[in-house]
């Protein structure tokens, strides 16, 4: 936006105010009814339950590492508690915790970490075997 100085006629360029989406205050208080499970979870509540930041949750959703919201209402995302619980159960099955007696001690491979000419060896495949 260009404005002229009334005294000298010099052009003054002004920045336009940033457009911000208006937030409906009732969206922060009112939630749609969920009869079977209790209450809906907001983005902030889901992020707090997963011990991450809300921006990290948005990133996980965009990368398809977390399910999309079950409901979008008044520009806000809501999840059912069962959706978050199901995702946690599936995700924690993939994580391997250290056994109580520790990892088995095996001798390191005799293969040197470098190949000919001092170059690193390219590893194409790794097989991990977990013994109970």
């Amino acid at each position: 936006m260009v404005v002229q100085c009334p005294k000298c006629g010099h052009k003054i360029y002004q920045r336009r105010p940033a457009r911000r989406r208006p937030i409906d205050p009732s969206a922060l208080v009112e939630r749609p009814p969920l009869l079977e499970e209790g209450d809906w979870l907001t983005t902030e509540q889901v992020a707090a339950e997963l011990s991450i930041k809300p921006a990290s949750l948005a990133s996980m959703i965009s990368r398809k590492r977390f399910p999309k919201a079950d409901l979008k209402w008044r520009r806000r995302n809501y999840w059912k508690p069962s959706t978050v619980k199901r995702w946690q159960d599936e995700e924690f099955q993939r994580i391997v915790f250290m056994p109580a007696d520790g990892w088995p001690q095996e001798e390191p491979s005799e293969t040197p970490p470098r190949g000919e000419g001092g170059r690193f060896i390219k590893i194409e495949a790794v097989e991990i075997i977990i013994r109970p």
Side-chain angles (χ1 to χ4, degrees), residues 80-129:
K80 293 178 181 178
S82 62
T83 304
V84 177
K85 177 79 171 131
R86 184 176 61 245
W87 180 84
Q88 283 180 326
D89 293 343
E90 291 172 4
E91 218 28 56
F92 286 129
Q93 286 179 357
R94 295 182 201 170
I95 299 173
V96 178
F97 294 99
M98 179 183 262
D101 55 343
W103 294 108
Q105 297 295 325
E106 295 181 8
E107 293 298 320
S109 173
E110 297 298 325
T111 308
R114 294 179 183 255
E116 295 176 12
R119 295 183 179 165
F120 283 104
I121 298 171
K122 181 178 179 182
I123 299 174
E124 294 184 8
V126 176
E127 182 179 345
I128 300 174
I129 300 172

Side-chain angles (χ1 to χ4, degrees), residues 34-49:
L34 179 63
L35 302 175
E36 68 255 10
E37 298 179 41
D39 208 6
W40 291 97
L41 298 174
T42 63
T43 303
E44 293 79 14
Q45 290 171 329
V46 172
E49 191 170 318

